[in-house]
Structure formats: structure tokens, C-alpha cells
Amino acid sequence: MTLQMDLPTADEYPTRKTSEPALLYRRDPVVWTGAPGRPAPAGPFTTEELDGYDRRGYTQVESIVSPDEVEAYRAELGRLSEDPALRADERVVVEPASDEVRSVFEVHKVSKVFRDLVNDPRLVDRARQILGSDVYVHQSRVNYKPGFGGGSFYWHSDFETWHAEDGMPRMRAVSFSVALSDNYTHNGALMIMPGSHRTFVSCVGQTPDDHYRSSLQSQHVGTPDQASLNLLADRHGIDVLTGSAGDMTVFDSNCMHGSGGNITPYPRSNVFIVFNSVDNACTKPFSAGDARPEFLAAREVEPAGR
């Protein structure tokens, strides 16, 4: 199935449109099938796991892939990073300071190894269970945070960018991060404000043309103001998500999250996949002139796992 929507859609989450930031109530479910305290819809997650996801905005699954699979993914990441043809591709983002590869986007289209992973029932069935529909890959990438200089990712809500710049109408997307290396508190692990997914931070500042070119290395427009971050952190606290290679973190599109830099000798890498509901296909951007390229935000809806 191929679907592209260009019809105007009501903006439930206005952002980058006023001179003052605002905190808005979430208008969408977190788990689109079932509800806390009720039997879990069919799928790999238990009722307790879905309740925790609904409450915190994230959950973790241990050993979702085997050690042999982790090694295969690491080897493929190494191959992609060293491919000179791919290195010249816009889908490859490098660290500003070291020129080392930071991310390879649309990785399921440049690698059969990762294409198989994004269609794996261990992931797809969980995404369907949370979103209550068939799903497609909105974005995929491998991230590499090298030792002695891996850069930080400032606090942000992915949905704010996907809504403003990609035209994603509703909070009906979920991110899967499969760890390819051990995540310690000290090597740039993911940090999340649990419960922050129920508040949308409306940001200030107009979106520049071709904003993605600079934002992939260091984002400024679309980042929350410090007063909003203080409020959310005081209200919810901050969880640092550690774990072993092969573990997976699943988190809501509107979670406030970020990660520090990595000055340790221990690199951190992961495969990152965004599943969006087929019923939530992107329209025209809500706060940008033009949609970002296909490798950042799929415009064709092809159900995963088929």
C-alpha cells in the first residue's frame, strides 16, 4: 500500500508559531488498544508492561536479540561506516568535531541486515500492539557515539519535530532502540523524563529552510525552553536507561529525552526505528515550508512485517 496525504489537517499541537513557549495537554492515547487495568490486547507485551509504558512513556525489554545477532549488527554498522560511497551520501551524518560517523539514516533501505530487523515480528508485533494498527517505518537509523568525543543530544520531543517538519498529525508513533553495545550511566546513555509524554512543549522560533541540514548535528529550533524543562524535570524526575547489548528500549514519540556526550573509552551504538501507525500518515508540515527528505521522514506508507 502506498499513501501520501496532502490534505489540510487540524493542528492539535501548535508549535513554532508564537513568541512564547507553552505546555499543552496531550490529546491522544498512549496505548491505542486496551487501557491500564484492562486485559492487554493480543501481542508480546503483558498487561503490566503496557500499564508501565502508559504510565512512564517507555519500557525496556531484555535480550530482544541474541549475542550472535548483536555481533552481526555491529559488523554491518562497521561496514556501512567504512563504505566510501555511502560516506558521501546525505544519509550519513558525521560528528562535527571528529568527522566520525554519527548516524546512518534510512538504514533499512541500504542494508538487508537491518531491513530484516525492522520487519522482525519481535519488533513489529510490539509496535502494532501499542499503536492498535498496522505500522510502517517513519524513520530508521543506526547511531554511533564513539568513545572520547561522542556528541550529546539536547533535550527534545521527537514528535515536536515530526509534527512541525514532517506533518505527523497525532502522537501515534513509537520508537524502538536496540542496543548494540552496553549502556552505562557514564557513556552517553539515553535519559528520559518519565511521564513527560503527557505534556506537549510548544516551542518558539520559525523553522529555517532546510533546517534538517544543521539540526542533525546540533538542533536549536524546536528545542524546549529551560523553564519548561525545569518544570518537567521537577515534576517527573529523570531516568537514565542503562542495559546490555541486545536489550531494547521502547518509548513514546512525545517523551522528553536526550543524552550526554561520551568522554569514556566505551563507545555506544544502537539501531533506532520509528514505527508510525498507517492511520497517522504524514501530511504537509505544520510549521515548516517544505517536508524533510524521505530518508528522514517516509512519505510512502508500506506496512512493516509483510
mmCIF file with all atom_site columns, all heavy atoms in Angstrom, residues 213-226:
data_model
loop_
_atom_site.group_PDB
_atom_site.id
_atom_site.type_symbol
_atom_site.label_atom_id
_atom_site.label_alt_id
_atom_site.label_comp_id
_atom_site.label_asym_id
_atom_site.label_entity_id
_atom_site.label_seq_id
_atom_site.pdbx_PDB_ins_code
_atom_site.Cartn_x
_atom_site.Cartn_y
_atom_site.Cartn_z
_atom_site.occupancy
_atom_site.B_iso_or_equiv
_atom_site.pdbx_formal_charge
_atom_site.auth_seq_id
_atom_site.auth_comp_id
_atom_site.auth_asym_id
_atom_site.auth_atom_id
_atom_site.pdbx_PDB_model_num
ATOM 1   N N   . ARG A 1 213 ? 19.512 20.103 7.703  1.00 0.00 ? 213 ARG A N   1
ATOM 2   C CA  . ARG A 1 213 ? 20.942 20.014 7.402  1.00 0.00 ? 213 ARG A CA  1
ATOM 3   C C   . ARG A 1 213 ? 21.797 20.359 8.620  1.00 0.00 ? 213 ARG A C   1
ATOM 4   O O   . ARG A 1 213 ? 22.835 19.746 8.859  1.00 0.00 ? 213 ARG A O   1
ATOM 5   C CB  . ARG A 1 213 ? 21.312 20.934 6.242  1.00 0.00 ? 213 ARG A CB  1
ATOM 6   C CG  . ARG A 1 213 ? 20.639 20.547 4.927  1.00 0.00 ? 213 ARG A CG  1
ATOM 7   C CD  . ARG A 1 213 ? 21.138 21.410 3.780  1.00 0.00 ? 213 ARG A CD  1
ATOM 8   N NE  . ARG A 1 213 ? 20.410 21.129 2.554  1.00 0.00 ? 213 ARG A NE  1
ATOM 9   C CZ  . ARG A 1 213 ? 20.703 20.145 1.711  1.00 0.00 ? 213 ARG A CZ  1
ATOM 10  N NH1 . ARG A 1 213 ? 21.720 19.340 1.983  1.00 0.00 ? 213 ARG A NH1 1
ATOM 11  N NH2 . ARG A 1 213 ? 19.996 19.956 0.617  1.00 0.00 ? 213 ARG A NH2 1
ATOM 12  N N   . SER A 1 214 ? 21.357 21.331 9.397  1.00 0.00 ? 214 SER A N   1
ATOM 13  C CA  . SER A 1 214 ? 22.100 21.698 10.605 1.00 0.00 ? 214 SER A CA  1
ATOM 14  C C   . SER A 1 214 ? 21.591 20.964 11.836 1.00 0.00 ? 214 SER A C   1
ATOM 15  O O   . SER A 1 214 ? 22.369 20.634 12.738 1.00 0.00 ? 214 SER A O   1
ATOM 16  C CB  . SER A 1 214 ? 22.016 23.212 10.834 1.00 0.00 ? 214 SER A CB  1
ATOM 17  O OG  . SER A 1 214 ? 20.665 23.627 11.008 1.00 0.00 ? 214 SER A OG  1
ATOM 18  N N   . SER A 1 215 ? 20.291 20.668 11.894 1.00 0.00 ? 215 SER A N   1
ATOM 19  C CA  . SER A 1 215 ? 19.707 20.096 13.119 1.00 0.00 ? 215 SER A CA  1
ATOM 20  C C   . SER A 1 215 ? 20.177 18.669 13.371 1.00 0.00 ? 215 SER A C   1
ATOM 21  O O   . SER A 1 215 ? 20.163 18.201 14.510 1.00 0.00 ? 215 SER A O   1
ATOM 22  C CB  . SER A 1 215 ? 18.175 20.126 13.044 1.00 0.00 ? 215 SER A CB  1
ATOM 23  O OG  . SER A 1 215 ? 17.677 19.256 12.038 1.00 0.00 ? 215 SER A OG  1
ATOM 24  N N   . LEU A 1 216 ? 20.592 17.947 12.334 1.00 0.00 ? 216 LEU A N   1
ATOM 25  C CA  . LEU A 1 216 ? 21.056 16.581 12.538 1.00 0.00 ? 216 LEU A CA  1
ATOM 26  C C   . LEU A 1 216 ? 22.358 16.537 13.323 1.00 0.00 ? 216 LEU A C   1
ATOM 27  O O   . LEU A 1 216 ? 22.688 15.522 13.943 1.00 0.00 ? 216 LEU A O   1
ATOM 28  C CB  . LEU A 1 216 ? 21.238 15.874 11.186 1.00 0.00 ? 216 LEU A CB  1
ATOM 29  C CG  . LEU A 1 216 ? 19.953 15.613 10.395 1.00 0.00 ? 216 LEU A CG  1
ATOM 30  C CD1 . LEU A 1 216 ? 20.273 14.916 9.088  1.00 0.00 ? 216 LEU A CD1 1
ATOM 31  C CD2 . LEU A 1 216 ? 18.950 14.806 11.202 1.00 0.00 ? 216 LEU A CD2 1
ATOM 32  N N   . GLN A 1 217 ? 23.103 17.634 13.304 1.00 0.00 ? 217 GLN A N   1
ATOM 33  C CA  . GLN A 1 217 ? 24.333 17.704 14.080 1.00 0.00 ? 217 GLN A CA  1
ATOM 34  C C   . GLN A 1 217 ? 24.140 18.466 15.384 1.00 0.00 ? 217 GLN A C   1
ATOM 35  O O   . GLN A 1 217 ? 24.699 18.092 16.413 1.00 0.00 ? 217 GLN A O   1
ATOM 36  C CB  . GLN A 1 217 ? 25.449 18.354 13.253 1.00 0.00 ? 217 GLN A CB  1
ATOM 37  C CG  . GLN A 1 217 ? 25.905 17.505 12.081 1.00 0.00 ? 217 GLN A CG  1
ATOM 38  C CD  . GLN A 1 217 ? 27.114 18.093 11.383 1.00 0.00 ? 217 GLN A CD  1
ATOM 39  O OE1 . GLN A 1 217 ? 27.321 19.298 11.389 1.00 0.00 ? 217 GLN A OE1 1
ATOM 40  N NE2 . GLN A 1 217 ? 27.923 17.247 10.782 1.00 0.00 ? 217 GLN A NE2 1
ATOM 41  N N   . SER A 1 218 ? 23.352 19.520 15.351 1.00 0.00 ? 218 SER A N   1
ATOM 42  C CA  . SER A 1 218 ? 23.099 20.304 16.549 1.00 0.00 ? 218 SER A CA  1
ATOM 43  C C   . SER A 1 218 ? 21.803 21.076 16.355 1.00 0.00 ? 218 SER A C   1
ATOM 44  O O   . SER A 1 218 ? 21.734 21.982 15.515 1.00 0.00 ? 218 SER A O   1
ATOM 45  C CB  . SER A 1 218 ? 24.257 21.271 16.824 1.00 0.00 ? 218 SER A CB  1
ATOM 46  O OG  . SER A 1 218 ? 24.007 22.038 17.977 1.00 0.00 ? 218 SER A OG  1
ATOM 47  N N   . GLN A 1 219 ? 20.774 20.711 17.124 1.00 0.00 ? 219 GLN A N   1
ATOM 48  C CA  . GLN A 1 219 ? 19.463 21.303 16.936 1.00 0.00 ? 219 GLN A CA  1
ATOM 49  C C   . GLN A 1 219 ? 19.259 22.470 17.893 1.00 0.00 ? 219 GLN A C   1
ATOM 50  O O   . GLN A 1 219 ? 19.592 22.400 19.071 1.00 0.00 ? 219 GLN A O   1
ATOM 51  C CB  . GLN A 1 219 ? 18.356 20.265 17.163 1.00 0.00 ? 219 GLN A CB  1
ATOM 52  C CG  . GLN A 1 219 ? 16.952 20.809 16.900 1.00 0.00 ? 219 GLN A CG  1
ATOM 53  C CD  . GLN A 1 219 ? 15.903 19.716 16.935 1.00 0.00 ? 219 GLN A CD  1
ATOM 54  O OE1 . GLN A 1 219 ? 16.213 18.548 17.031 1.00 0.00 ? 219 GLN A OE1 1
ATOM 55  N NE2 . GLN A 1 219 ? 14.646 20.105 16.860 1.00 0.00 ? 219 GLN A NE2 1
ATOM 56  N N   . HIS A 1 220 ? 18.687 23.551 17.367 1.00 0.00 ? 220 HIS A N   1
ATOM 57  C CA  . HIS A 1 220 ? 18.382 24.725 18.187 1.00 0.00 ? 220 HIS A CA  1
ATOM 58  C C   . HIS A 1 220 ? 16.900 25.077 18.075 1.00 0.00 ? 220 HIS A C   1
ATOM 59  O O   . HIS A 1 220 ? 16.217 25.220 19.084 1.00 0.00 ? 220 HIS A O   1
ATOM 60  C CB  . HIS A 1 220 ? 19.265 25.905 17.782 1.00 0.00 ? 220 HIS A CB  1
ATOM 61  C CG  . HIS A 1 220 ? 20.734 25.622 17.953 1.00 0.00 ? 220 HIS A CG  1
ATOM 62  N ND1 . HIS A 1 220 ? 21.346 25.586 19.183 1.00 0.00 ? 220 HIS A ND1 1
ATOM 63  C CD2 . HIS A 1 220 ? 21.705 25.329 17.038 1.00 0.00 ? 220 HIS A CD2 1
ATOM 64  C CE1 . HIS A 1 220 ? 22.630 25.305 19.044 1.00 0.00 ? 220 HIS A CE1 1
ATOM 65  N NE2 . HIS A 1 220 ? 22.870 25.139 17.749 1.00 0.00 ? 220 HIS A NE2 1
ATOM 66  N N   . VAL A 1 221 ? 16.382 25.224 16.861 1.00 0.00 ? 221 VAL A N   1
ATOM 67  C CA  . VAL A 1 221 ? 14.947 25.445 16.675 1.00 0.00 ? 221 VAL A CA  1
ATOM 68  C C   . VAL A 1 221 ? 14.212 24.142 16.957 1.00 0.00 ? 221 VAL A C   1
ATOM 69  O O   . VAL A 1 221 ? 14.615 23.079 16.498 1.00 0.00 ? 221 VAL A O   1
ATOM 70  C CB  . VAL A 1 221 ? 14.657 25.927 15.239 1.00 0.00 ? 221 VAL A CB  1
ATOM 71  C CG1 . VAL A 1 221 ? 13.151 26.059 15.009 1.00 0.00 ? 221 VAL A CG1 1
ATOM 72  C CG2 . VAL A 1 221 ? 15.356 27.249 14.972 1.00 0.00 ? 221 VAL A CG2 1
ATOM 73  N N   . GLY A 1 222 ? 13.144 24.222 17.741 1.00 0.00 ? 222 GLY A N   1
ATOM 74  C CA  . GLY A 1 222 ? 12.389 23.021 18.091 1.00 0.00 ? 222 GLY A CA  1
ATOM 75  C C   . GLY A 1 222 ? 12.852 22.386 19.383 1.00 0.00 ? 222 GLY A C   1
ATOM 76  O O   . GLY A 1 222 ? 12.370 21.309 19.746 1.00 0.00 ? 222 GLY A O   1
ATOM 77  N N   . THR A 1 223 ? 13.752 23.042 20.101 1.00 0.00 ? 223 THR A N   1
ATOM 78  C CA  . THR A 1 223 ? 14.164 22.533 21.410 1.00 0.00 ? 223 THR A CA  1
ATOM 79  C C   . THR A 1 223 ? 13.396 23.290 22.492 1.00 0.00 ? 223 THR A C   1
ATOM 80  O O   . THR A 1 223 ? 13.090 24.475 22.340 1.00 0.00 ? 223 THR A O   1
ATOM 81  C CB  . THR A 1 223 ? 15.679 22.704 21.629 1.00 0.00 ? 223 THR A CB  1
ATOM 82  O OG1 . THR A 1 223 ? 16.039 24.085 21.446 1.00 0.00 ? 223 THR A OG1 1
ATOM 83  C CG2 . THR A 1 223 ? 16.450 21.842 20.651 1.00 0.00 ? 223 THR A CG2 1
ATOM 84  N N   . PRO A 1 224 ? 13.078 22.623 23.588 1.00 0.00 ? 224 PRO A N   1
ATOM 85  C CA  . PRO A 1 224 ? 12.265 23.251 24.634 1.00 0.00 ? 224 PRO A CA  1
ATOM 86  C C   . PRO A 1 224 ? 13.040 24.320 25.391 1.00 0.00 ? 224 PRO A C   1
ATOM 87  O O   . PRO A 1 224 ? 14.268 24.280 25.491 1.00 0.00 ? 224 PRO A O   1
ATOM 88  C CB  . PRO A 1 224 ? 11.894 22.081 25.539 1.00 0.00 ? 224 PRO A CB  1
ATOM 89  C CG  . PRO A 1 224 ? 12.953 21.067 25.288 1.00 0.00 ? 224 PRO A CG  1
ATOM 90  C CD  . PRO A 1 224 ? 13.380 21.220 23.872 1.00 0.00 ? 224 PRO A CD  1
ATOM 91  N N   . ASP A 1 225 ? 12.312 25.272 25.949 1.00 0.00 ? 225 ASP A N   1
ATOM 92  C CA  . ASP A 1 225 ? 12.919 26.321 26.755 1.00 0.00 ? 225 ASP A CA  1
ATOM 93  C C   . ASP A 1 225 ? 13.290 25.778 28.131 1.00 0.00 ? 225 ASP A C   1
ATOM 94  O O   . ASP A 1 225 ? 12.752 24.763 28.587 1.00 0.00 ? 225 ASP A O   1
ATOM 95  C CB  . ASP A 1 225 ? 11.947 27.497 26.897 1.00 0.00 ? 225 ASP A CB  1
ATOM 96  C CG  . ASP A 1 225 ? 10.664 27.096 27.612 1.00 0.00 ? 225 ASP A CG  1
ATOM 97  O OD1 . ASP A 1 225 ? 9.879  26.312 27.024 1.00 0.00 ? 225 ASP A OD1 1
ATOM 98  O OD2 . ASP A 1 225 ? 10.463 27.502 28.770 1.00 0.00 ? 225 ASP A OD2 1
ATOM 99  N N   . GLN A 1 226 ? 14.199 26.437 28.800 1.00 0.00 ? 226 GLN A N   1
ATOM 100 C CA  . GLN A 1 226 ? 14.701 25.948 30.084 1.00 0.00 ? 226 GLN A CA  1
ATOM 101 C C   . GLN A 1 226 ? 13.632 25.959 31.170 1.00 0.00 ? 226 GLN A C   1
ATOM 102 O O   . GLN A 1 226 ? 13.613 25.071 32.033 1.00 0.00 ? 226 GLN A O   1
ATOM 103 C CB  . GLN A 1 226 ? 15.916 26.764 30.513 1.00 0.00 ? 226 GLN A CB  1
ATOM 104 C CG  . GLN A 1 226 ? 17.141 26.528 29.650 1.00 0.00 ? 226 GLN A CG  1
ATOM 105 C CD  . GLN A 1 226 ? 18.382 27.221 30.173 1.00 0.00 ? 226 GLN A CD  1
ATOM 106 O OE1 . GLN A 1 226 ? 18.362 27.846 31.226 1.00 0.00 ? 226 GLN A OE1 1
ATOM 107 N NE2 . GLN A 1 226 ? 19.475 27.113 29.434 1.00 0.00 ? 226 GLN A NE2 1
#
